[in-house]
Amino acid sequence: MAKSWIGIVFLVSLPVFAGVSGGDMESVLSGQDVRTIDVRTTQELFAARDALRKEKPSVPVDVRIAPGEYFLEKPFALTAVDSGTETAPIRYRCADGKAVFTAAKRVPSARFRPWKDGILVADIADLGIRFPNERQIRGVTQCPPPVPELFVDGTRYEMASWPNDRQWTTFTNVVVMGAGWGDKGVTNRQGRLNVPGTFGYDGDRPSRWTEAPYVWMHGYFRWDWRDNLLPIGKIDPKAHTIALGTRATYGLARGNPSPRRWRVVHLLEELDIPGEYYVDFAGKTLYLKPLKPLTAESRVDIVAGAGTLVTAEGVKNVVFENLKLCCANQAMKGKDCTRLVLRGLEVENIRGDGVTLDDAANVLVATCDFKAIGSLCLNLNGGDRRTLVSAGNRVTDCDFGPAGIHAKTGCAGFYTYGVGTVFDHNFVHDMPHHALGIGYQGGNDCVFSHNIVSNCCNESDDAAAFYKGRNPSACGNVLEGNVFVDCGKNGKHGTMAVYFDDGDCGDTVRDCLFIRCGNKPYGGAKFTHGALFYNAGYAFVTEGNVFIDCPAGNRTSGADDWATDAWWRKHLKGLNTRLTEEVAVTGAVYKAHYPWIADLLPGLPDGARTNYLKRCTFINVKVPVAGRSHCLPDCRFLDHDDGTRPAACRTAGLLTERK
């Protein structure tokens, strides 16, 4: 579980947040006038829900779920009729030990027989596996692939792939670029024309795959902030070319610096190392190469049940506590939920997203662990951006990571949009792309406070551990007292710890600590984007931050035409829908809440949109600021040890120890 020591934070004292705490409901559930229902089987779990649905209890109810496994063939689904009330909430919890909700079915180890080269095979036709159809196989465009996941003695096995160990091979020779999103001349009345690309490869490995019924390719085909999973259309061993079966999102090209990365996944011809498996959809058989010999006690689980373990729609005043949600396509999905509390959950070994809660209000997620998640850990959204009414949602004292096991971009520990989300005292680590972010739908007045973010955004490019962008009306957000360690170090175009992209404006970065964040210059460049990057935006409050051992500190792009009023006129014209239809930046609500918002509109002199840093300290930072970022006289620049570095590094070291 996440530890309360996450509250020990560098530089500033802990804030107190208003909004949902869950304490009112939980105190009611701790009182004497509480009805209890004991549950020991999956059937009893559903029966308890159905009974409460009919009875409409007038007192608090504690559904006590006994430790053990609960296989869910279908989701445990709650709707508005399953709600509690503020004085009579309903709690589903395991009071002693851990109750495990799972969609994994057991494959008896006695079924396996030798095939060849240490590979075992078993018939799984009778296990209720949902095998993909031809359309799903040929139509895939994003990870994860439609393959049941396999776990042996609790260890996730890898789909048979090449190269092994989640490594990549590369190409530089683009034969046919193919159509990509945003390319001219490739649209029709139904949408985009499917014009796949073709590239040349080195070596002879692909010649082994020509007889396979299908081949999937995972890769970064143009940009390192967008991966695709695509079917291969044709392999030509003589020409040494591979033609894709459908187009990559942005076509094949040298977007970020070449070479482009790719690998093939789920291919029987590449089942060659222990810990890999392959599912024959047509033959309904499972092939695996075990890490150690299977015995009668070996546990082989294949995910075959519910797509989502728990669903909640229109639910109010319900608590989920001390449960483990694992081995499924998704752990929980909710919509229009109010006063929902998730406390002490373990979300683990999920194929896709962990938990998604849309249009939520007064939701609390506390002391939860998310690990080994295929894509995104937690997505929590709510609030009204037109009126700036806060949703009152909060995420606190949770542990996120690793994630992005399958999808390498668009994955994160936490995403939000809407108004007023608070994300505080969490530990987010080991993410290939973003760790945290506000989605393109926009977010206002969200607070990210006193979190630790470590080892994130080190497999992508033109990206950051915290990302937000392309919507100047999504402002008033605060990053305060966060620690970023070893984030965004490996990009060539530019990777950062914090990135406000494409004209984003009006947010605050205060009292944060950046240690070894941002990539070094490459290809003769004199500067990178820095640990903290503002891409053309302005009206930022940047104060009290400490940068240690970073190649660069803060940059605001705009040494070129991005600083001119003409650029802003063009840029804002393209954002008209977001500024005047989704919200009204010239209306009374926004003008009162954000006094600077009038400067968003064209009319300022060239160069007036500048960001200033206050009370910031730079220790061993070669280029503290650049572009339209400027330091005020109270900033400090140190190239020696004055005692600040050891104290800060010791603090960060303590905070990033999980035990």
Side-chain angles (χ1 to χ4, degrees), residues 118-120 150-158 165 271-277 288-295 298-300:
I119 299 171
L120 306 179
L150 184 72
F151 301 88
V152 180
D153 294 328
T155 298
R156 177 188 249 133
Y157 272 40
E158 300 285 344
D165 300 320
L271 207 172
D272 56 359
I273 63 172
E276 289 188 331
Y277 76 101
L288 69 85
K289 193 163 188 175
L291 290 168
K292 59 183 180 180
L294 298 185
T295 67
S298 297
R299 174 166 182 160
V300 181

Side-chain angles (χ1 to χ4, degrees), residues 227-517:
D227 64 327
N228 283 116
L229 179 73
L230 304 171
I232 288 178
K234 180 182 179 181
I235 299 171
D236 187 337
K238 292 184 178 180
H240 276 64
T241 59
I242 293 177
L244 300 178
T246 190
R247 69 177 183 88
T249 303
Y250 295 95
L252 301 181
R254 183 184 180 274
N256 294 130
S258 287
R260 300 285 83 220
R261 293 173 285 171
W262 66 280
R263 59 197 292 262
V264 292
V265 299
H266 196 246
L267 197 61
L268 183 59
E269 289 79 359
E270 296 298 342
L271 207 172
D272 56 359
I273 63 172
E276 289 188 331
Y277 76 101
Y278 173 82
V279 179
D280 180 352
F281 302 145
K284 299 182 179 180
T285 50
L286 168 65
Y287 296 82
L288 69 85
K289 193 163 188 175
L291 290 168
K292 59 183 180 180
L294 298 185
T295 67
E297 289 73 34
S298 297
R299 174 166 182 160
V300 181
D301 290 325
I302 190 165
V303 176
T308 302
L309 293 174
V310 178
T311 62
E313 185 166 353
V315 174
K316 298 180 179 180
N317 302 296
V318 170
V319 178
F320 289 95
E321 184 175 339
N322 202 26
L323 304 173
K324 183 173 182 177
L325 311 180
C326 71
C327 301
N329 291 327
Q330 186 171 24
M332 179 181 289
K333 186 174 184 178
K335 184 176 177 60
D336 294 321
C337 293
T338 303
R339 291 177 61 84
L340 179 71
V341 175
L342 310 182
R343 183 180 293 279
L345 302 188
E346 293 183 25
V347 182
E348 182 177 356
N349 286 334
I350 299 299
R351 175 175 167 268
D353 292 342
V355 175
T356 300
L357 300 172
D358 291 326
D359 299 324
N362 293 311
V363 165
L364 173 67
V365 181
T367 63
C368 295
D369 280 1
F370 296 78
K371 59 183 177 181
I373 307 300
S375 185
L376 169 66
C377 292
L378 174 62
N379 195 347
L380 175 59
N381 313 302
D384 187 341
R385 292 192 60 238
R386 291 192 68 85
T387 61
L388 296 178
V389 173
S390 171
N393 298 322
R394 184 182 183 188
V395 182
T396 185
D397 201 17
C398 294
D399 190 320
F400 298 87
I405 302 298
H406 297 307
K408 294 301 180 181
T409 59
C411 56
F414 178 69
Y415 274 148
T416 189
Y417 59 85
V419 183
T421 301
V422 173
F423 185 88
D424 68 286
H425 302 93
N426 301 289
F427 183 28
V428 188
H429 56 94
D430 300 308
M431 307 281 170
H433 195 212
H434 303 149
L436 307 170
I438 295 177
Y440 289 127
Q441 299 91 335
N444 294 72
D445 303 339
C446 298
V447 176
F448 295 79
S449 179
H450 302 80
N451 303 289
I452 307 148
V453 182
S454 174
N455 191 36
C456 295
C457 196
N458 289 328
E459 295 184 34
S460 52
D461 207 348
D462 194 11
F466 176 93
Y467 179 86
K468 172 180 176 285
R470 302 183 177 183
N471 194 342
S473 70
C475 49
N477 303 286
V478 177
L479 277 68
E480 182 174 24
N482 302 292
V483 179
F484 295 89
V485 185
D486 293 322
C487 293
K489 298 194 300 180
N490 299 325
K492 292 185 177 180
H493 175 86
T495 48
M496 295 68 70
V498 175
Y499 188 175
F500 294 91
D501 196 10
D502 285 355
D504 230 44
C505 297
D507 294 321
T508 295
V509 182
R510 177 189 296 124
D511 296 332
C512 291
L513 171 61
F514 300 89
I515 302 176
R516 298 185 301 274
C517 293

Side-chain angles (χ1 to χ4, degrees), residues 182-201:
D183 295 335
K184 296 181 179 179
V186 288
T187 58
N188 61 14
R189 284 170 44 182
Q190 289 73 38
R192 306 204 54 74
L193 290 174
N194 188 6
V195 183
T198 301
F199 67 88
Y201 64 84

